[in-house]
């Protein structure tokens, strides 16, 4: 068996290592265009910022280790320029000598990844306009960031843009982010990003949202970045981080089927329309685990699994790729944003029936020092309770909760199962009723009909709704929803005669717990009442989000 793998890093290197473990006799050739077959591209921003000080730490699997330990034929500076499917061979250009040669294969794995998208903007080819894909890019940016630069503009506020911003601030460089969307980190829902955006600004980053770069003009000392809004920003350099596109031209030219966004169409075994050719990693189009629709999501974890599965199938193993559910996390100046499954915006776009709830628990027991509030948003089917997605923002413990919910989605679990999951507990780690359990309790109550919920986006202050604030008088005085009436939960049962029976009542508290109790009290007395999910805190964030659009 002769296996040729085009590209290394996560998918290709994993496929090669797995293939070797399954067959010590197979001939395995890895053809890598760059100088390093396996490096930690997710760590590049942290090398630029100095958090990772040694460049060598980014070399996950050095060439000699792959050659000696796994007996792989690893060839760097080897660019595949054509695939001849009938002849079952590839044409390779040795970039060091500019020599071309052909290499035959029994099975071919394409792991060419995705390249940063660089639109046709005047001046974008300037040496002062950087990107961050590989170690060469990181070296270049590291040199610029440590050579006296004082001002940078980042175009794009996705994962890489935010991580680069944080790490340039570590170098005491002033940073402005320009983002076409009305929020940073566009995969998340808008209201979830309000506290993160505030935190980014507090750490010295200027945000120019709903704007875009239309030109980069070199000056004697740096760049002028012209924006669609008419503004111009002077900087020493710029970094373009506006997404990636699959590097699938090689496959397209060979007649391998690709999807509308350029990803190579694959089966659950990672096979293309040619049964002897597989595609893995960022270049591959796969199925969304939740929706079962084709999707293109560049993430390291799925790429690793896809590489293993391709190797398994080549050697007759029955493993299959379940699909990508988009579980992702990003650190932002000590805060965390994480998500899994579908966002609300994607569910709306696909016209999928859903319900949502918000909770604002602390990351561990409130009586133990250092407890901080996090926000969890859970999306689910209102009829069956099947979990569709979740998002979390906070400081500590967000990753744990989203990981648990991601596992629940993989297992086909429902919100009722979240009520029952048994998670480890000690006061410095969580609650006896963990945040995951609480999300399950609230969502299950909605599905069972124990309460109905409304959301801040529904404009709870609009007439003829009666808005009932069940917090204390001091909390009400400090801030409340317009036109709300304050009746604290402690006296609500004695004052129900003050409430209208001909109008819908929306009850709310700070985060939703007292609002739920008020809803139960009033439902049992015949009132038409709903609880405002997430309470005043969610309403305030939604109001802030609306004011920025």
């Amino acid at each position: 068996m002769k296996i040729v793998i085009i590209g290394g890093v996560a998918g290709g290197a994993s496929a090669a290592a797995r293939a070797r473990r399954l067959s010590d006799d197979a001939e395995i050739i890895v053809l890598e265009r760059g100088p390093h077959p396996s490096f930690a591209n997710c760590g590049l921003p942290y090398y630029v910022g100095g958090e990772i000080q040694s460049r060598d730490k980014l070399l996950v699997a050095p060439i000699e280790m792959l050659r000696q330990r796994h007996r792989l034929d690893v060839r760097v500076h080897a660019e595949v320029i054509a695939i001849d499917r009938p002849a079952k061979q590839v044409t390779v250009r040795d970039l060091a000598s500019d020599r071309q040669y052909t290499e035959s294969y029994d099975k071919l794995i394409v792991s060419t990844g995705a390249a940063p998208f660089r639109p046709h903007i005047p001046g974008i080819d300037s040496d002062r306009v950087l990107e961050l894909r590989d170690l060469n890019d990181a070296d270049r940016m590291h040199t610029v960031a440590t050579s006296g630069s004082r001002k940078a503009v980042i175009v794009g506020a996705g994962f890489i843009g935010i991580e680069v911003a944080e790490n340039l601030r570590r170098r005491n460089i002033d940073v402005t982010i320009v983002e076409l969307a009305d929020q940073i980190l566009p995969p998340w829902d808008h209201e979830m990003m309000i506290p993160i955006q505030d935190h980014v600004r507090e750490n010295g980053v200027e945000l120019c949202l709903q704007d875009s770069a239309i030109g980069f003009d070199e000056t004697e000392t740096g760049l002028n970045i012209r924006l669609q809004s008419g503004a111009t920003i002077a900087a020493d350099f710029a970094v373009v981080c506006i997404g990636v596109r699959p590097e699938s031209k090689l496959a397209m030219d060979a007649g391998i089927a690709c999807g509308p966004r350029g990803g190579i169409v694959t089966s659950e075994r990672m096979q293309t329309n040619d049964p002897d050719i597989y595609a893995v990693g960022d270049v591959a189009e796969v199925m969304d685990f939740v929706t079962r629709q084709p999707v293109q999501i560049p993430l390291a974890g799925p790429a690793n699994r896809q590489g293993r599965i391709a190797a398994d199938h080549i050697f007759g193993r029955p493993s299959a790729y379940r699909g990508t559910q988009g579980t992702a996390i990003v650190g932002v100046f000590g805060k965390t944003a994480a998500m899994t499954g579908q966002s609300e915006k994607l569910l709306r776009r696909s016209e999928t029936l859903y319900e949502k709830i918000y909770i604002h628990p602390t990351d561990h027991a409130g009586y133990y020092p250092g407890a901080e509030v996090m926000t969890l948003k859970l999306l689910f089917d209102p009829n069956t309770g099947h979990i569709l997605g979740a998002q979390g923002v906070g400081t500590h413990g967000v990753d744990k909760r989203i990981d648990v919910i991601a596992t629940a989605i993989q297992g086909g679990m429902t919100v009722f199962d979240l009520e029952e999951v048994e998670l480890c507990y000690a006061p410095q780690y969580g609650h006896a009723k963990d945040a995951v359990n609480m999300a399950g309790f609230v969502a299950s109550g909605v599905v069972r009909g124990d309460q109905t919920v409304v959301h801040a986006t529904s404009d709870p202050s609009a007439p003829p709704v009666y808005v009932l604030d069940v917090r204390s008088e001091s909390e009400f005085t400090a801030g409340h929803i317009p036109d709300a009436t304050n009746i604290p939960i402690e006296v609500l049962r004695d004052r129900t005669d003050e409430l209208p029976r001909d109008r819908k009542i929306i009850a709310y508290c700070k985060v939703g717990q007292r609002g739920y109790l008020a809803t139960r009290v009033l439902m049992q007395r015949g009132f038409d009442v709903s609880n405002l999910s997430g309470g005043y805190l969610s309403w305030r964030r939604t109001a802030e989000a609306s004011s920025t659009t």
Side-chain angles (χ1 to χ4, degrees):
M1 175 74 72
K2 182 177 181 181
I3 303 169
V4 172
I5 301 172
I6 307 175
V9 194
S14 293
R18 178 63 171 170
R20 174 56 74 223
R21 289 192 294 272
L22 294 177
S23 172
D24 212 40
D25 298 324
E27 182 180 0
I28 304 171
I29 301 173
V30 179
L31 302 171
E32 169 57 47
R33 180 175 57 190
H36 304 290
S38 181
F39 64 92
N41 50 4
C42 296
L44 298 180
Y46 302 96
Y47 169 63
V48 170
E51 188 74 9
I52 298 173
Q53 296 187 6
S54 172
R55 182 184 187 275
D56 291 344
K57 294 289 187 181
L58 298 173
L59 301 177
V60 177
I63 296 175
E64 289 310 310
M65 187 189 82
L66 294 174
R67 288 172 175 167
Q68 295 174 11
R69 181 178 300 175
H70 297 290
R71 293 295 192 268
L72 302 174
D73 183 354
V74 180
R75 306 176 193 176
V76 295
H77 303 296
E79 180 181 21
V80 177
I81 58 176
I83 299 171
D84 186 338
R85 291 169 55 199
K88 296 188 71 173
Q89 66 182 21
V90 296
T91 301
V92 187
R93 177 185 291 127
D94 184 332
L95 298 178
S97 64
D98 203 31
R99 178 179 65 91
Q100 290 188 18
Y101 62 93
T102 60
E103 194 68 60
S104 65
Y105 65 83
D106 295 314
K107 301 293 182 180
L108 181 68
I109 300 175
V110 180
S111 180
T112 45
F117 177 57
R118 289 177 73 88
H120 298 294
I121 299 174
I124 197 170
D125 293 327
S126 166
D127 289 340
R128 294 180 181 272
V129 180
L130 311 180
E131 61 187 23
L132 190 60
R133 184 195 186 191
D134 56 29
L135 278 168
N136 288 335
D137 294 334
D139 289 337
R140 188 176 168 201
M141 195 180 300
H142 186 278
T143 298
V144 172
T146 56
S147 300
S149 295
R150 291 287 175 260
K151 173 70 177 179
V153 169
I154 298 172
V155 182
F159 291 92
I160 300 298
I162 293 299
E163 290 171 347
V164 169
E166 178 180 10
N167 283 282
L168 293 182
R169 288 297 297 138
R170 281 198 181 102
R171 298 291 190 186
N172 294 316
I173 295 173
D174 292 335
V175 175
T176 297
I177 295 177
V178 179
E179 168 56 51
L180 182 61
D182 59 358
Q183 65 174 86
I184 66 171
L185 297 170
W188 275 260
D189 291 324
H190 191 178
E191 77 281 6
M192 297 295 288
M193 285 297 100
I194 293 303
I196 299 295
Q197 287 176 181
D198 291 343
H199 187 62
V200 168
R201 291 187 176 102
E202 289 166 1
N203 279 273
V205 177
E206 182 179 350
L207 298 179
C208 295
L209 303 177
Q210 295 181 288
D211 211 342
S212 61
I214 60 172
F216 300 92
D217 302 321
E218 287 198 20
T219 66
E220 291 184 2
T221 58
L223 284 174
N224 283 334
I225 297 91
R226 290 180 282 114
L227 305 184
Q228 184 69 47
S229 62
T232 298
I233 306 173
D236 296 304
F237 66 98
V239 185
V240 176
C241 307
I242 50 178
V244 295
R245 299 292 186 272
E247 287 209 71
S248 55
K249 185 177 185 302
L250 185 67
M252 287 182 182
D253 291 345
I256 297 172
C258 295
R261 296 187 61 190
I264 299 174
V265 177
T266 60
S267 71
E268 63 179 5
R269 313 294 183 184
M270 306 313 303
Q271 278 179 303
T272 68
N273 59 309
D274 185 323
D276 292 321
I277 299 178
Y278 298 74
V280 301
D282 295 354
V283 75
E285 178 186 275
V286 296
M287 286 294 161
D288 184 288
F289 183 83
V290 176
T291 67
R292 308 315 300 168
Q293 296 299 310
V295 71
Q296 190 85 39
I297 302 178
L299 292 170
N304 275 285
R305 294 197 301 280
Q306 292 161 19
R308 287 176 55 89
I309 288 166
D312 278 353
H313 191 255
I314 286 172
F315 289 101
R317 298 272 179 128
S319 60
Y321 188 61
R322 297 182 183 181
T324 296
Q325 64 190 65
T327 304
I329 190 167
V330 61
V332 188
F333 295 103
K335 298 289 187 181
T336 300
M339 68 184 302
T340 188
Q342 295 286 287
S343 64
E344 183 175 5
K345 63 181 70 172
L346 288 179
L347 291 170
R348 284 180 175 175
R349 192 177 304 164
S350 63
E351 298 183 342
T352 300
L353 182 66
Y354 72 94
E355 184 56 274
K356 61 181 178 180
I357 60 95
Y358 300 88
I359 61 172
H360 305 281
T362 53
D363 60 319
H364 61 257
Y367 61 82
Y368 190 90
E372 296 189 51
V373 172
M374 70 173 71
T375 296
L376 291 179
K377 176 179 184 178
L378 187 66
L379 298 143
F380 54 95
D381 185 308
N383 296 319
T384 67
H386 274 97
I387 306 164
L388 303 175
Q391 298 180 25
V393 298
T395 304
H396 304 292
V398 174
D399 54 341
K400 168 185 173 179
R401 275 70 186 203
I402 294 299
D403 280 345
V404 170
I405 297 172
T407 304
I409 292 174
Q410 277 282 315
M413 297 168 70
T414 69
V415 297
F416 306 114
D417 295 308
L418 295 187
E419 292 183 295
E420 302 298 332
V421 293
E422 183 177 332
L423 304 175
C424 56
Y425 162 67
Q428 66 269 45
Y429 295 107
H431 297 263
K433 296 178 182 177
D434 190 83
V436 172
N437 300 128
M438 293 304 302
F441 293 149
V442 176
S444 297
V446 173
V447 178
R448 292 187 181 106
D450 293 340
Q451 65 166 327
T452 59
V453 292
V454 295
H455 305 286
T457 51
S458 304
D459 190 6
S461 62
V465 170
Y466 183 91
V467 182
L468 175 63
D469 188 319
V470 298
R471 299 174 299 162
S472 67
E473 292 181 9
S474 61
E475 289 176 286
F476 182 81
T477 301
H480 58 269
I481 295 176
D483 300 321
T485 299
N486 181 220
I487 303 178
I489 184 64
E490 291 78 9
V491 298
L492 178 62
R493 295 175 180 84
D494 302 323
R495 295 175 58 182
T496 55
D497 57 345
E498 300 175 28
L499 302 177
R501 290 190 174 273
D502 59 347
R503 296 166 63 187
K504 182 176 181 63
I505 298 172
I506 295 178
Y508 77 91
C509 61
K510 180 180 179 181
V511 297
Q513 189 170 12
R514 285 171 288 175
Y516 169 61
L517 177 57
T519 300
R520 292 299 302 159
V521 167
L522 297 179
M523 283 180 66
Q524 294 176 68
R525 286 163 173 76
F527 289 92
D528 180 9
V529 57
S530 295
N531 185 21
L532 177 61
S533 184
Y536 181 69
L537 182 52
S538 286
W539 178 87
R540 191 177 65 199
R541 287 181 179 174
T542 301
E544 291 172 359
S546 299
S547 68
T548 63
T549 59

